[in-house]
Amino acid sequence: MSTFQIALIIAGGLVLAVVVGYNAWSTHRNAPKRPRPTEPEASPEAPARQEPGFDGVGSASIGPDDGVEPSFDGHSVDLKDALQMPLPPAERRGGLDPLIDAMAPIVADQLTSGDAAIAAMPPTRRAGSKPFAIEGLNEATHQWEPPVAGQRYKQFQAGVQLANRIGGLNEIEFSEFVMKTQSFVDAIGAAVDFPDMLHEVARARELDQFASEHDAQLTFMLRARHAAWSPGYVQQNAAKIGFTAGAMPGRLVLPAAEPGLPPVLTLAYDTQAALSDDPEQSAIRDILLSLDVAQVHRTEQPFARLREVAAQLGKAMDGVLCDQNGTPLPAMTMDPIATDLETLYDKLDSRELSAGSALARRLFS
């Protein structure tokens, strides 16, 4: 074999090595970012090894890492995070209120037991697309409440919501409200006084117009600058700033300060990626940060927190803040939005529908 042939073989090997190396580097660079394994905190003294037993949770030590809490290294959350995922149960919605409900007072011929009232209730709690409810004045506590077994009631009130995000109450829905209420009244032996339909429908139109003009749901996109993200990577970084798992795959929430209230912010990404057989191989190039203004009280400073969350995630995940169409947003565009929101909060307050109140959460739902 000549020297020239040997040189060609060496040159070909070098070219092949460079191609293989470049492909490996390119694959690594473009692969979705994965969550980093959690590192156990250093302990000054290693605890004494104990034999497995049932004397208490965590009493056994297994393997060389004695005393280290169990973790799911390489996955989206550790065991402690998983135990914190369930959200607190939602609070009961606000009771009937003449501000946003068409109401009909009901007087029974005699004291009615809660059991009888519950048995006479209509099978559904909606009139068309509007929530419908019946409450009783508890004879013992003198408080309005949904009928409760074992309690007694002389007076009741039925109501249907005048408007929600679907629209205002119409004549057909009002008629359904009347029929359901009349059925309840006939079952318990009572008398009812219905409001005028045309008046209530007119109120519904006016309330729906106000709600439409003052409803704000803000959504921003955080888009990856370079490498995509895996679902676990998104969850890990979001968990560091307080997000927990939501009820739907691909949805995280930032809980409110008071348990049971709607979340301050929501973070959403591709549901298909969240449900993938191998989520860590799924590539996510953008996530959505959303704020439902009417559902969150202004004292939570939700928009300021949204800006802070976007900045923290953008820095940690190498992302850029965009509008819903993916157009990058300069920082100066956020200040006018904050000013407009303060005006919106004031208008809701003046109508006694303050953001985050029970009535506002009902109306803007």
Side-chain angles (χ1 to χ4, degrees), residues 85 235 237-245 252-255 265-267 289 309 313:
M85 286 305 184
Q235 293 173 20
N237 283 279
K240 291 178 181 178
I241 53 179
F243 280 86
T244 61
L252 305 174
V253 297
L254 186 64
L265 302 173
T266 62
L267 184 156
L289 292 170
V309 163
L313 290 178

Side-chain angles (χ1 to χ4, degrees), residues 69-95:
E69 294 293 331
S71 65
F72 291 95
D73 292 347
H75 293 267
S76 58
V77 294
D78 59 20
L79 183 59
K80 182 184 296 184
D81 292 333
L83 294 176
Q84 295 175 347
M85 286 305 184
L87 295 177
E91 66 169 9
R92 175 181 172 271
R93 283 171 165 257

Side-chain angles (χ1 to χ4, degrees), residues 282-298:
S282 299
I284 299 173
R285 297 211 60 85
D286 52 65
I287 59 178
L288 297 177
L289 292 170
S290 302
L291 163 62
D292 193 339
V293 176
Q295 299 290 320
V296 185
H297 199 278
R298 68 192 303 179

